[in-house]
Amino acid sequence: MQERYVITITRQFGSLGRPIAREMAKMLDIDYYDRDIVEMAAKEMQQPVSVVSDIEESGNSLLSKMRFPLGTGERSMQDRLFQIQQKIITDIVDRESCIIVGRCSDYILRNYKNCINVYIYAPFEARYPSIT
C-alpha cells in the first residue's frame, strides 16, 4: 500500500490558486478539498453554509480589524469553527492522499510528516481579475 501524503495550498487573492490546485489534484489522481470543508463544518455546526462562511470571514478583513480591534464577540464561534475544520482536515488526511486549499491547513498539518506546503502568488498586474 502506498503511503498517504497531503499538499496544502495557500494562495494570494486573485492568484488562481484554486484552479491550480484542482488541476494538480486531477494530474495526481487525488481528491481536492476547499469549500467542501466549509460545507462539512456547517453540517457539523447545524448551520447554513452562508452563516459559517460569514463566521470564517468575519475576523479576517482589515476593515473588520480596524472597526473592531477587540473583536465582535464572535470569537468563540470562530474558535469552534477552527476546531471543527481542524478535525475534518485531520480526518481527511488520515484516510487519503489529497490537496487541501486554505483553511489554515498548512498550520494544522505542520507536524504531518508527508505534507508539502505550497504558497501561490502573482504580481498585482497578473492577478485575476486584473484591475489596471
Side-chain angles (χ1 to χ4, degrees):
M1 182 173 168
Q2 186 178 9
E3 202 168 352
R4 287 183 307 275
Y5 63 92
V6 63
I7 300 169
T8 68
I9 305 283
T10 306
R11 77 251 187 248
Q12 183 180 44
F13 182 76
S15 66
L16 297 176
R18 185 172 287 144
I20 291 169
R22 245 182 294 185
E23 189 62 30
M24 283 176 59
K26 204 183 307 180
M27 290 170 63
L28 295 168
D29 195 28
I30 58 175
D31 285 329
Y32 151 89
Y33 294 91
D34 186 10
R35 294 291 304 167
D36 26 23
I37 293 174
V38 176
E39 293 168 10
M40 290 180 230
K43 186 176 178 182
E44 176 77 22
M45 295 174 80
Q46 299 178 349
Q47 296 288 329
V49 172
S50 60
V51 170
V52 174
S53 290
D54 287 347
I55 293 168
E56 188 177 54
E57 298 295 324
S58 66
N60 295 332
S61 76
L62 182 58
L63 178 61
S64 174
K65 290 176 183 170
M66 287 170 43
R67 287 183 59 208
F68 307 104
L70 300 178
T72 61
E74 293 183 15
R75 177 64 187 226
S76 65
M77 286 296 284
Q78 290 172 348
D79 289 346
R80 181 167 178 242
L81 175 58
F82 178 78
Q83 290 169 351
I84 289 169
Q85 287 185 343
Q86 181 176 23
K87 173 130 178 44
I88 290 168
I89 288 168
T90 56
D91 287 350
I92 290 169
V93 301
D94 283 345
R95 73 172 182 258
E96 65 180 297
S97 293
C98 62
I99 294 177
I100 299 178
V101 177
R103 322 266 101 66
C104 300
S105 57
D106 56 340
Y107 174 77
I108 291 168
L109 300 171
R110 68 192 177 281
N111 296 321
Y112 191 80
K113 79 174 189 171
N114 291 328
C115 181
I116 298 171
N117 301 308
V118 177
Y119 179 71
I120 298 174
Y121 64 95
F124 185 76
E125 312 78 45
R127 293 186 211 157
Y128 182 83
S130 181
I131 303 171
T132 53

